[in-house]
Amino acid sequence: MILLDEPTERVCAAIVAGDLAPVRLAIVAPGGYGKTTVLERLAGADVRLVDDAHLLGDAELGELLRYLEDEQAQIVIATRPHPRRAALNQVLARLRGQIVLRPFDVARTKAFLEATGSPELAEFVHAQTGGVPGLVRATSELNLLRHELDHAGEDVVRFLFAAEAGAAADQSGAVIEAAHATGLLSPDGRLLPIAARALRELVPQPRQVALRRQLVQRQLERGGPVLPLVRPLLEAGLTGPEIGAAFEAAADEAEPALAAKLYEAAAKAGRRVGARWAEAVARAGDFDAALRLADELLAAENPRDREEGARVAGTALAHRGQLARSAELFQWAGTGDSRCFAAIALVGTGRVPEARKALDECAGTGPPTLLSGAVNGAARGIVESVTEQPAVALSTLVRAAEMLEPVSRRLLLPDSPAALGALVALHSGEAAIAEPLLERAIEAGALVARHRLLLAWIAMVRGDEETAVARLREAGDDLSPRDWLFAVGLRVGIARRASDLAALRRIWGQAREAVIRHPVDLFTFLPFGEFEVAAARLGERDRLAPHLRQARQLLAALGEPPLWATALHWSGLHAAILAEQPEEAAEHARALAAGAATGPYFAAMSQAAECWLKVLGGEVDPVAVEAAARALHDVGLCWDGARLAGQAAIRTSDRKVMVTLLDCARVLQGRDPAPTPGPARLSERERQVAELVLAGLTYKQIGDRLFISAKTVEHHMARMRQRLGAGSRSELLAELRAELEPAEG
């Protein structure tokens, strides 16, 4: 049953009642609009009814013309807008009006579905069918469209396949009109979704393949895009020069994962696409497959293939964390850009003289493209990071990143200037510069996971655990080995900063695996630093010792540049503190003092290190501690500043100093030091215990400070857990933080 709109219903009722005599009307609409149903509604009227007039022959149309010579003769003629032969036009010209049929709106679609007992959602069905009544009916019985497709001409069906792919069709106006007359196209020429489904399911597969191949060939000849036309042919197992060229052309238009499949199909069809195939596979993140393909290229006879194979292999190895081997391959590739990438990798593995030579060789060896300018700038910035002031290196890297942004999406890069710039910024306390750099790189679509992980790192060192966790989650789980190292480092760092020892133990297995799989290089000091502190916390320092020796040796080979050395000595200081190794801690403090003149960031860390040593020795100067803690906060190390103040607080026997420093720690964490107003859920003693627990003190240390036993502290914790309804220690710590924070308002 087709539901007619109200104006059409009124016209039909008037015709049946004889109120419009003489009736001489046309119904001109594409297939599926309900012409036949209108005629059925008029079956009781004293009117001649003619359906499908576009299919009548000249003799039949001539008979209609003779019938219409009588001005009182009544007739309603239904026809499609195409084909329109001259004789049919003569018949229509003798009529006096037209019944206009319109597609359903959503309300009429819903009414039809309810009347026919179909369960489909009206809005979905309307979107699929464009509201064409016959197509709405076909949503529950697609086979109703088979007759339409079986009787459409070859040119029309080919046009419909072209419309499905959004491709320009080289067809005559008559074919286009005939295609629109099927009712399968929207008024603006787009194939309706249900029609696309009918093409895929009702047109025999051999006929589909043949028509698509014809369209592809025509599109190739005119130089138009072919990806939408070629994509459905991927699974057809086609071979031969023509289809191979089509797969290759489509791959050039596709995103990496699909491009890799299309290049593989092109290769099976006999095309020489090895280099582009390997690059697409690498850009899709399958570095094992990329290395296999690149290895085949390295053994090829063609010098260009060998060069491209070395470039792809060097890039894949960089993502796998094997910078030394990556540098060798980039040097062997010999192009200007590859030498720049080699220079970056050489610095990362401690070989500065070789890096300088590679940098000199990569200048002026090719056209001055945005890529060449950007990678040259990135290489210079990394060399400057170990030879010049941090600000010089950071400025060079920022300019390189901005230069690359317009073209970065489609490039295969071992690393991005934005990521390298962000690392330099993180190592020099310039997170405010790193954030917009990384955000723009994400918008450009380059190395998105890596850039999100570095944004998460910035949030973590600021003490913004919620943002760090969210950005870590956004990076996803499909990570390269290098990105996975940073992701594990983030999880370790977040657990440590939350004082969640259980979570730290859970993640430590992954940290050990990441350390084994990933060699130490200059650009991995941040995660390795987190692992070092966590290892000390868990009593696992021996496992990490060989890797930390490699890091120290790398720093020595580079001449102990403060930019990179400071972070490693800072983590070493805290690992030594946790391991109760005062001499080792003092050694790291001296190293930090040696770099203090490099800038405010480095001076703040040196000042804090000196303060830490005094605190560990029992000397708690509240003025000095607060100054050092606030200096850390001001250079972006918010969590570290709060920790210094909190740890100093629990190591003093002076109650007033303890309260002052705990208040300072709260302020540096973004919390108000004032007591919580309103009815307290904790007693005064429980609040004291909670403050010290959150500051990181053990039960024994808390007992010593409050002159109670460790067992009593444990009882206090148990009562607080019960009162606050916490199901685990981590939940209790979260509840205690919330309880001790001021109420809003």
Side-chain angles (χ1 to χ4, degrees), residues 199 329 580 594 597 606 675:
L199 285 177
L329 284 158
E580 299 181 354
S606 175

Side-chain angles (χ1 to χ4, degrees), residues 69-155:
E69 288 176 358
D70 179 358
E71 292 298 328
Q72 297 304 309
Q74 299 198 108
I75 191 169
V76 176
I77 297 176
T79 182
R80 290 190 179 186
H82 186 87
R84 290 283 290 273
R85 289 177 300 151
L88 177 57
N89 283 334
Q90 290 175 352
V91 169
L92 296 177
R94 303 295 299 272
L95 305 182
R96 296 174 182 171
Q98 181 172 334
I99 296 176
V100 177
L101 300 181
R102 301 174 181 85
F104 289 170
D105 56 17
V106 175
R108 290 178 63 211
T109 300
K110 181 178 181 181
F112 174 85
L113 294 174
E114 290 175 348
T116 56
S118 300
E120 290 87 355
L121 295 174
E123 290 187 2
F124 172 77
V125 171
H126 187 269
Q128 293 288 303
T129 62
V132 175
L135 299 185
V136 172
R137 183 184 175 199
T139 54
S140 58
E141 192 179 348
L142 190 66
N143 210 47
L144 292 172
L145 299 181
R146 184 181 298 278
H147 179 272
E148 187 70 57
L149 293 175
D150 286 346
H151 288 80
E154 196 79 352
D155 288 343

Side-chain angles (χ1 to χ4, degrees), residues 228-254:
L229 293 167
V230 170
R231 190 199 306 255
L233 299 176
L234 255 180
E235 307 301 325
L238 304 176
T239 60
E242 290 182 357
I243 197 64
F247 285 137
E248 183 178 357
D252 292 340
E253 303 169 19

Side-chain angles (χ1 to χ4, degrees), residues 100 182 244 287 289 292 321 447 483 497 602 642 664 739:
V100 177
T182 64
F287 297 111
R292 287 195 297 270
L447 301 182
D483 290 344
R497 285 164 175 79
F602 307 92
C664 174
E739 180 70 19

